[in-house]
Each structure stands twice: as structure tokens, then as C-alpha cells.
Amino acid sequence: SPPILIVAPPPITESGVLATMFGGGAEKSLGLAEGYRAVAEHLGCAFLNAGDHVTSSPIDGVHFDAPEHARLGAAIAVKVTEMTTSSN
């Protein structure tokens, strides 16, 4: 089977139109990457922390703006290239 990449989402921010809905979420989301990393290690999967590459939009604190999508896509492309090159 092909290698699997688990991508942790970046932390959210409590800003914009969804700030109230996600109250307290920013602090909780800070631990997501380490949780995802532990699962990836346990399962023997590759891992990428999206928070190292992108930030959530100040418009709603959860989604990404277009430039962030491009940065995340580029980071994933590099990681997948590393994974497929090292597995051959």
C-alpha cells in the first residue's frame, strides 16, 4: 500500500464572524498537532503540521485565504515528494 500522510490542521483563532461560535477553541486547538503527530507515529504514517505553514483567516478564524491554500498545497507537495522518493 502507498505511504499515508496525516495532516494536522492549524490552530484556529477566535476572530471574525465565527469568534463566538468557537469561543475557547483557539486554546484547545493548540494541542491538535501533537495529538495528530502521536497518532501518525503510532500508525507508522508520515506527518505534516499545517500550522507550520499556514494560519487561519482573520475573517472567520477557521478557514484559509487563497494564498494560504497555495502555501499548504506547496508544503504537502514537498512532503509527498519526500515520502515517495524515500520509499523507493
Side-chain angles (χ1 to χ4, degrees):
S1 63
I4 296 171
L5 174 63
I6 295 177
V7 180
I12 68 168
T13 62
E14 294 172 44
S15 62
V17 298
L18 299 179
T20 303
M21 179 185 292
F22 291 107
E27 184 177 341
K28 292 176 186 175
S29 70
L30 292 174
L32 281 174
E34 287 312 309
Y36 275 63
R37 183 186 312 276
V39 169
E41 288 176 7
H42 176 74
L43 297 174
C45 298
F47 173 76
L48 179 79
N49 179 7
D52 290 342
H53 305 280
V54 299
T55 57
S56 298
S57 170
I59 293 172
D60 67 12
V62 178
H63 297 98
F64 314 140
D65 295 334
E68 298 298 292
H69 277 280
R71 278 192 276 284
L72 182 56
I76 290 173
V78 168
K79 185 67 175 181
V80 168
T81 300
E82 291 171 0
M83 292 167 54
T84 57
T85 302
S86 66
S87 67
N88 290 333

